[in-house]
Amino acid sequence: MARGVRRPGASLVEWLLFEEEYYAAGAPGRVSQNGISLLAPTLFEHGSAEQRARILPPMARGETIWAQAWSEPESGSDLASLRSTARRTDGGWRLSGQKTWSSRAAFADRAFGLFRSDPAADAPHRGLTYLMFALDAPGVTVRPIGRLDGKPAFAELFLDEVFVPDEDLIGEPGQGWRIAMSTAGNERGLTLRSPGRFTAAARRLVALWRERAGEAESDAGIEAASLRDRVADAVIGARAYELFACAGASRLAAGGSLGAESSLNKVFWSELDIALHETALDLLGPHGELSDAADDPDAPGPWSDGYTFALAGPIYAGTNEIQRDIIAERLLGLPKGRR
Amino acid sequence: MRFMLDQAQTDFGRTVDRMLGGTDTPHAVRAWARGEHAPGRAVWGRLADAGVTSLAVPEAYEGVGPLPVELGVAYVAAGRHAVPGPLAETAAAAVLLAGLAEGGTARSGQVAEDWLPRIAGGRALVTLAAADGGPYALDADAADAVFAVEGEELWLAPGHGPVQPSFDPARRLARPLPGGELLARGPAVAAAAARAADWAAFATAALSLGTGLALVERTAAYAGQRTQFGRPIGSFQAVKHRLADALIGLEFARPLLYGAAVALTSGPSGGAPPSGPVGDVRAEVAAAKVAAGEAAYTAARTALQLHGALGYTDEYDLSLWIRKARALRSAWGSPSVCRARVLAP
């Protein structure tokens, strides 16, 4: 990214290797994720040279933190029904409405999202426009929402005639849905969750299991033995995801595309993530209940935070139910039905 | 780094698949189950023509192998068409005999000379009983040779006991008779047998993946045309999601299968890239076996449920794949045995 204002500075395979090392080192979660994994690919594909030069370097340096503004109170899985509006004005747009579950908005600087610019369009997914805006702009109210364990994670956004200059429009007005889906359908399936997260966690899980199995000989060994198959499944799943992602990267490098296959990805990693962390917490027995804030010597530490984070996986970035619909309809050719 | 099949491998898989699609394998499977082997041997003859039977046999013995990736590709196609016979066992026996011949005695070299060219050409169909695969030799009644590994001894069995009915009638199981001809003895037998068992598990995983793919494809086609409550049942989410989950299992078993093939290519000391969470060749094969076996079994349960009573009948051809998925799941390493191998230090 550092030298990339027209295209990414690293190949997908290099990115996979970087991620693997990042997680293997036990490095912390990144606040820049929304920008790096969603907005940056969108700008590479649909943004202007001016936008890439202006937005990407501070994003890469972590100086500008980005939030996403997609879901609305009445538009979750049925995202195309969204009602927040973008109205033309001199030199730009006026945004009004409400966004919610806006990841990282509680502490981010700017946000990107979809807005209805043409209420008269003949289908819900037409007439949407992709815009970026500042979270400290006049007319924006941010109400943080704590996640399941109370930590700040996302926020509600109330937008009242918020001015957005033309330079923060991505692509053409009315093309927002196509732009959003092109990044979602292609690289997002790969880049949203790198395999390094799971291979590193699986290795830590095996270490935990060996440690607990050793201890269990002196007390309750049955539990550790019954957990062996789940530990193995986590290892197998992490390896499968790693190889699947590498195969996807190879296909993209060879000029292919992923398309609906990224829905296979999404369901797989989100379920793997939960199963892996559940297994770790079960291995910890009575200590598994402690939160990551606990400082007891036997506290689960990152396993607890990882578990809470993993629980959201099947919900965000398109629920797993929506992904299964996509798999059934686009990969297996089943007829569309009522959702 | 390339983590995908190359064009030649993809084309080879398509060729084998198309060739098998042109044979009436369900007819051959049903005949095989009655102990009539001619139609099944005819299918094997066509596999030999396509080069499939030469993939596990080294060039020194008129083969082109060992080529585990190509064998995986071909066996996925064989599973997709439910080809009957000791496919995994013949490949494993070839690896066993070739392994013993390498640096072995004059006798083991002669055994390899006797059998490997015939296996490569599809003229011999052989089976193998070894500790990793349980006491039975698959399709011993159809095989030209029954090899049996007992500890550090390799025997050419003098025959086989009565055929025991299997859950999959097309898999005919029989115990090798004791005695016969002692072909090799010593620690090299155990080492070669372990390697052969890995190949058998790998081949079984490939057959499982193909079996599962056929089940999902057939069930998706059925759900798309079967109408209830005025619309195709495949438009209901309860049906869609079950099929989607079955496909996810299969599509994530596929990279493990080819990862195991690459590990087998690089030999006993090679294997996973150092970054991989799975340790060695044996663990890579075991991971593929668990994933493919479980995914195919899930596909079978899904196929059975979504076809309703029709899927529960013997006469509907879906039964050929449903029964095979269950049998392959425990052949050459049950899920539990393979999970333990994945975690072996």
Side-chain angles (χ1 to χ4, degrees):
Chain A
M1 193 86 60
R3 66 193 157 93
V5 290
R6 274 174 310 190
R7 61 187 174 80
S11 74
L12 212 44
V13 171
E14 287 170 315
W15 175 82
L16 286 168
L17 293 172
F18 168 78
E19 290 289 318
E20 178 146 347
E21 292 302 322
Y22 192 89
Y23 282 104
R30 283 161 283 183
V31 290
S32 51
Q33 194 82 346
N34 288 124
I36 301 286
S37 75
L38 265 176
L39 181 58
T42 305
L43 290 174
F44 286 127
E45 212 173 320
H46 303 282
S48 68
E50 183 278 323
Q51 286 172 330
R52 288 190 286 266
R54 172 165 53 92
I55 293 166
L56 295 178
M59 175 197 290
R61 289 194 298 265
E63 290 165 9
T64 307
I65 304 301
W66 287 86
Q68 63 183 77
W70 298 48
S71 295
E72 297 182 3
E74 302 300 326
S75 302
S77 289
D78 184 11
L79 184 64
S81 70
L82 64 89
R83 299 189 294 201
S84 292
T85 56
R87 188 170 48 79
R88 264 268 177 236
T89 186
D90 274 356
W93 302 79
R94 292 273 176 194
L95 308 183
S96 290
Q98 189 182 345
K99 294 284 180 182
T100 193
W101 319 129
S102 184
S103 297
R104 295 178 177 78
F107 49 81
D109 305 295
R110 293 174 63 79
F112 55 92
L114 290 178
F115 295 86
R116 189 162 301 285
S117 52
D118 180 6
D122 56 358
H125 62 278
R126 298 209 179 91
L128 298 177
T129 294
Y130 205 129
L131 292 154
M132 301 175 279
F133 57 99
L135 288 168
D136 60 356
V140 178
T141 306
V142 179
R143 187 185 78 83
I145 307 172
R147 65 176 195 181
L148 195 58
D149 64 355
K151 287 186 186 167
F154 37 31
E156 265 180 312
L157 305 177
F158 300 91
L159 307 168
D160 181 15
E161 296 286 305
V162 178
F163 178 73
V164 173
D166 273 327
E167 63 177 19
D168 283 339
L169 162 73
I170 301 179
E172 295 295 316
Q175 296 295 308
W177 184 260
R178 193 179 59 79
I179 293 168
M181 292 304 122
S182 73
T183 8
N186 199 343
E187 287 197 29
R188 194 169 95 188
L190 201 58
T191 57
L192 188 62
R193 281 290 164 268
S194 60
R197 173 176 167 85
F198 306 104
T199 50
R203 269 193 294 270
R204 286 200 295 271
L205 182 68
V206 172
L208 178 67
W209 172 70
R210 291 203 199 290
E211 183 191 313
R212 296 288 298 169
E215 290 168 16
E217 282 171 9
S218 53
D219 48 42
I222 295 167
E223 185 194 42
S226 72
L227 285 165
R228 188 205 65 186
D229 280 2
R230 290 166 61 192
V231 174
D233 280 340
V235 171
I236 294 167
R239 178 67 172 151
Y241 187 61
E242 179 184 34
L243 291 172
F244 188 94
C246 290
S250 290
R251 268 205 305 283
L252 288 172
S257 62
L258 293 182
E261 284 166 53
S262 54
S263 293
L264 297 169
N265 232 18
K266 162 78 202 317
V267 177
F268 188 83
W269 66 248
S270 58
E271 294 193 342
L272 168 64
D273 207 9
I274 293 179
L276 197 154
H277 285 88
E278 280 175 344
T279 304
L281 294 182
D282 287 353
L283 278 168
L284 289 161
H287 313 294
E289 181 188 337
L290 298 175
S291 98
D292 61 307
D295 61 2
D296 187 90
D298 289 322
W303 288 120
S304 177
D305 183 63
Y307 171 70
T308 307
F309 184 77
L311 282 180
I315 302 167
Y316 61 76
T319 64
N320 284 10
E321 286 69 29
I322 292 294
Q323 306 304 333
R324 289 186 175 98
D325 280 354
I326 293 171
I327 292 164
E329 289 167 16
R330 301 204 202 144
L331 297 178
L332 291 171
L334 291 176
K336 277 191 182 292
R338 290 184 60 193
R339 300 262 185 253
Chain B
M1 274 181 292
R2 186 177 50 82
F3 295 91
M4 55 196 277
L5 298 176
D6 65 26
Q7 195 57 48
Q9 290 161 339
T10 306
D11 291 345
F12 176 60
R14 285 208 187 109
T15 302
V16 174
D17 193 77
R18 207 170 300 134
M19 180 275 286
L20 289 171
T23 65
D24 186 358
T25 49
H27 166 71
V29 175
R30 290 185 186 280
W32 194 274
R34 293 190 299 269
E36 299 161 16
H37 302 124
R41 302 255 341 194
V43 175
W44 274 64
R46 302 192 63 170
L47 285 176
D49 292 344
V52 175
T53 50
S54 65
L55 295 171
V57 178
E59 283 177 31
Y61 301 98
E62 300 177 24
V64 297
L67 290 174
V69 176
E70 282 75 6
L71 187 117
V73 166
Y75 275 33
V76 169
R80 221 174 138 249
H81 295 279
V83 172
L87 283 156
E89 291 72 16
T90 296
V95 169
L96 175 60
L97 298 183
L100 284 173
E102 200 177 321
T105 62
R107 178 72 191 110
S108 55
Q110 188 56 48
V111 174
E113 288 286 353
D114 286 347
W115 288 102
L116 291 179
R118 293 169 63 194
I119 291 173
R123 298 185 300 280
L125 183 160
V126 306
T127 189
L128 172 67
D132 277 320
Y136 306 108
L138 177 67
D139 298 319
D141 61 330
D144 299 297
V146 179
F147 296 101
V149 175
E150 285 168 28
E152 296 192 340
E153 294 174 349
L154 172 64
W155 292 82
L156 179 60
H160 60 86
V163 171
Q164 306 291 330
S166 156
F167 179 75
D168 175 6
R171 286 172 56 89
R172 296 166 63 79
L173 304 173
R175 289 177 190 266
L177 290 179
E181 188 186 348
L182 181 62
L183 300 177
R185 167 188 275 167
V189 171
R195 180 125 179 102
D198 283 343
W199 274 74
F202 166 72
T204 304
L207 293 168
S208 290
L209 178 58
T211 302
L213 289 169
L215 285 160
V216 166
E217 287 159 16
R218 285 170 166 260
T219 307
Y222 176 76
Q225 55 88 18
R226 165 73 175 169
T227 298
Q228 288 287 273
F229 306 104
R231 55 181 82 134
I233 61 168
S235 68
F236 300 129
Q237 278 189 317
V239 171
K240 279 183 180 166
H241 290 190
R242 214 165 157 170
L243 269 168
D245 282 334
L247 183 66
I248 290 167
L250 294 166
E251 289 302 337
F252 279 87
R254 196 193 295 270
L256 287 172
L257 180 75
Y258 293 119
V262 171
L264 283 170
T265 308
S266 47
S269 56
S275 60
V278 170
D280 60 2
V281 179
R282 181 140 258 230
E284 291 267 2
V285 170
K289 176 71 173 62
V290 173
E294 298 285 47
Y297 183 62
T298 299
R301 291 284 322 278
T302 299
L304 175 58
Q305 186 65 23
L306 298 186
H307 277 81
L310 182 62
Y312 193 67
T313 59
D314 171 47
E315 66 188 50
Y316 192 61
D317 280 344
L318 189 76
S319 61
L320 309 182
W321 283 269
I322 290 177
R323 296 186 297 223
K324 198 167 294 297
R326 169 72 224 186
L328 292 175
R329 183 171 181 258
S330 48
W332 292 102
S334 69
S336 184
V337 164
C338 289
R339 285 187 174 105
R341 269 181 210 160
V342 168
L343 292 177

